[in-house]
Amino acid sequence: MRTPHALLATAVTAAALAAAAVTPAPAAGADAVPPPGTYYVQSVVTGLNAADASGTVEQHRPRGNEDRQQWTLRPDGAGHLLENTDSPGSCLGRAGDRARTVSCTAAEARWQITPLGADRYALADPGADRRLTVAPKPAGATHPAPLSVGSGAGALAAWYLTPADAPGGPVPPRGQRTLDQVTFLTAHNAYANGVDGGFAPPFVDLFPNQSRGIQQQLADGVRGFMLDVHQTPDGAILCHNSCTLVRRPVALWVDLQRIVDFLRARPDEFVTVFLEDYVDPGVLRAELDRVQGLSEVLYRPDRTGVRENGWPTTGELAADGHRLLIFTDHSREADRSAGLTRDTFGVMYQREWTVENHWSMGPGVGSSDWSCYSRWYDANTTIPLTRTEPGFRPLFVMNHFRDAAVASTAATDNAKLADRARRFCQPAARKKPTYLAVDRYDLGNPAAAVDALNTYTYP
């Protein structure tokens, strides 16, 4: 289960914070104001959207065309209006130092939109030194929901105007697509399948997340594997929550060997493993040392200039033979305290290379929550889904599953995967999902969503 973990409540790296929070100064040739159309007004710092909350304008978790978050941008004299698509005649405006919805005919509805570069904008009160701003974050809390209008500057006053339905660009030929242009089918709790071995205590194991073993998952086109690894006297073992009372659990090295063997037989394929990681770094290193041929296929983005130059193409990865990427959700800071960081033996810290939405759409039955917001946004950590860095776009892990794996629910949810990805999560992250993670990938045809996303690139 991709549940939060105490280690997630740590500060992000200085580099990630700088990329997420520093707004570039306006420059010659900076971006023009976007053309008229329907947009989300999205905070650069939090990734949350401006929403009409009964007249108050607040930042809310992105929810697509729900929750009054879409605004129609149009010129108005020397300025621009942002009219709420759910309330014709009602525009994003100002009342004193607060953002409010006001009549589109009011002077307080007009904004001076100034490009800041890197597709970011300031929304200012024309003729005044006041801008639409996210309030500073109090100690021990997240940024307040109500938006302000004041003299704030920097990242808190920087906004993306994200198209509600950005037209996709042409996709390069296979082999010429960079890793962030490809979407991969991903199995949530891939080990919890009841075929390869036990994964949970009695009764809990009646609800597997998958119904086929790892080798069959590979044969079926699964290319991302989410694995929960726990430390026992036998090493790093795959179990859900705890290995206590689990019958015949599978060791991590066994499933990794299956994946490595597959890659050695299929030199054009690329696989990613995501570890929900509860083991000491020394134990994990010893486990990986048991996997024959791992070093031949292990991909090290930290050693190949990815952060400076962007992701390589799948053809380049195939030519180099480096086609297995392993992430951990563990904390670099905690590993430093232990004296051994996981990236020294090829396991990448996921928060440094990816963004990921919250892991659950709700309980196993009943209505679902399609809001798409960062898993790593809380009182201690701010990594918005929109995070980018100069020359580098993080891979986007899109979770699409519930608290519990109920087959009928998974079938229904998976059939709607493409719709949620395109209308909700893609604009929320301002990037196309790289990994579509689901329960019961054999139900509801989520592979069709993967195929659909692989027909275009996000701007």
Side-chain angles (χ1 to χ4, degrees), residues 227-282:
L227 307 175
D228 296 3
V229 56
H230 293 262
Q231 187 166 320
T232 77
D234 296 320
I237 307 298
L238 300 173
C239 302
H240 182 57
N241 292 335
S242 167
C243 292
T244 303
L245 301 180
V246 177
R247 295 170 290 188
R248 301 184 301 104
V250 178
L252 172 62
W253 77 267
V254 173
D255 275 353
L256 289 180
Q257 189 68 65
R258 290 172 171 139
I259 292 169
V260 169
D261 290 346
F262 172 83
L263 290 172
R264 294 171 76 179
R266 299 284 297 274
D268 58 339
E269 298 291 350
F270 187 88
V271 170
T272 306
V273 170
F274 299 88
L275 299 179
E276 185 170 317
D277 189 348
Y278 300 94
V279 304
D280 294 334

Side-chain angles (χ1 to χ4, degrees), residues 113-452:
I113 300 178
T114 304
L116 300 172
D119 211 21
R120 304 172 184 193
Y121 302 88
L123 278 64
D125 181 353
D129 185 26
R130 302 190 325 136
R131 289 166 288 279
L132 182 67
T133 305
V134 173
K137 185 168 75 72
T142 59
H143 290 274
L147 298 178
S148 303
V149 180
S151 58
L156 292 177
W159 301 88
Y160 295 116
L161 296 175
T162 301
D165 188 16
V171 64
R174 185 177 177 88
Q176 297 180 27
R177 305 170 193 176
T178 56
L179 196 58
D180 57 318
Q181 292 177 327
V182 183
T183 300
F184 299 96
L185 180 61
T186 300
H188 170 236
N189 286 357
Y191 67 95
N193 54 62
V195 176
D196 294 330
F199 61 90
F203 303 109
V204 177
D205 61 4
L206 296 177
F207 298 94
N209 296 92
Q210 308 299 335
S211 64
R212 299 172 181 175
I214 295 294
Q215 289 176 314
Q216 187 60 51
Q217 292 179 35
L218 286 162
D220 291 343
V222 175
R223 295 295 179 265
F225 296 83
M226 292 180 169
L227 307 175
D228 296 3
V229 56
H230 293 262
Q231 187 166 320
T232 77
D234 296 320
I237 307 298
L238 300 173
C239 302
H240 182 57
N241 292 335
S242 167
C243 292
T244 303
L245 301 180
V246 177
R247 295 170 290 188
R248 301 184 301 104
V250 178
L252 172 62
W253 77 267
V254 173
D255 275 353
L256 289 180
Q257 189 68 65
R258 290 172 171 139
I259 292 169
V260 169
D261 290 346
F262 172 83
L263 290 172
R264 294 171 76 179
R266 299 284 297 274
D268 58 339
E269 298 291 350
F270 187 88
V271 170
T272 306
V273 170
F274 299 88
L275 299 179
E276 185 170 317
D277 189 348
Y278 300 94
V279 304
D280 294 334
V283 173
L284 181 59
R285 182 173 60 180
E287 193 78 7
L288 299 188
D289 286 343
R290 300 182 68 180
V291 182
Q292 297 180 13
L294 176 61
S295 62
E296 300 170 16
V297 298
L298 189 63
Y299 173 48
R300 297 289 302 268
D302 58 330
R303 293 183 174 178
T304 53
V306 168
R307 198 169 293 281
E308 295 76 27
N309 304 312
W311 296 98
T313 66
T314 55
E316 290 168 337
L317 290 165
D320 292 338
H322 301 146
R323 294 169 293 110
L324 176 59
L325 179 56
I326 304 178
F327 288 120
T328 176
D329 70 345
H330 213 80
S331 160
R332 177 185 288 276
E333 289 73 21
D335 281 351
R336 281 177 176 155
S337 299
L340 176 64
T341 59
R342 290 163 211 253
D343 57 354
T344 59
F345 51 89
V347 177
M348 301 294 101
Y349 292 98
Q350 188 183 338
R351 279 170 286 177
E352 298 177 7
W353 299 97
T354 77
V355 293
E356 180 178 347
N357 67 311
H358 180 63
W359 58 273
S360 175
M361 295 193 298
V365 294
S367 60
S368 60
D369 179 2
W370 276 22
S371 59
C372 212
Y373 61 99
S374 178
R375 180 188 181 194
W376 301 315
Y377 179 71
D378 56 32
N380 301 299
T381 309
T382 302
I383 305 179
L385 290 183
T386 53
R387 177 170 69 97
T388 58
E389 300 172 22
F392 170 70
R393 177 159 55 182
L395 305 178
F396 175 22
V397 182
M398 180 186 155
N399 294 313
H400 186 79
F401 48 83
R402 309 280 190 118
D403 295 354
V406 177
S408 58
T409 302
T412 300
D413 288 343
N414 290 348
K416 300 175 181 179
L417 175 58
D419 186 36
R420 184 180 180 222
R422 184 70 184 257
R423 293 196 302 116
F424 285 67
C425 291
Q426 182 172 274
R430 295 175 53 83
K431 54 183 72 72
K432 191 173 73 169
T434 316
Y435 303 96
L436 294 180
V438 298
D439 284 332
R440 293 302 303 271
Y441 75 87
D442 58 308
L443 302 175
N445 197 16
V450 174
D451 292 342

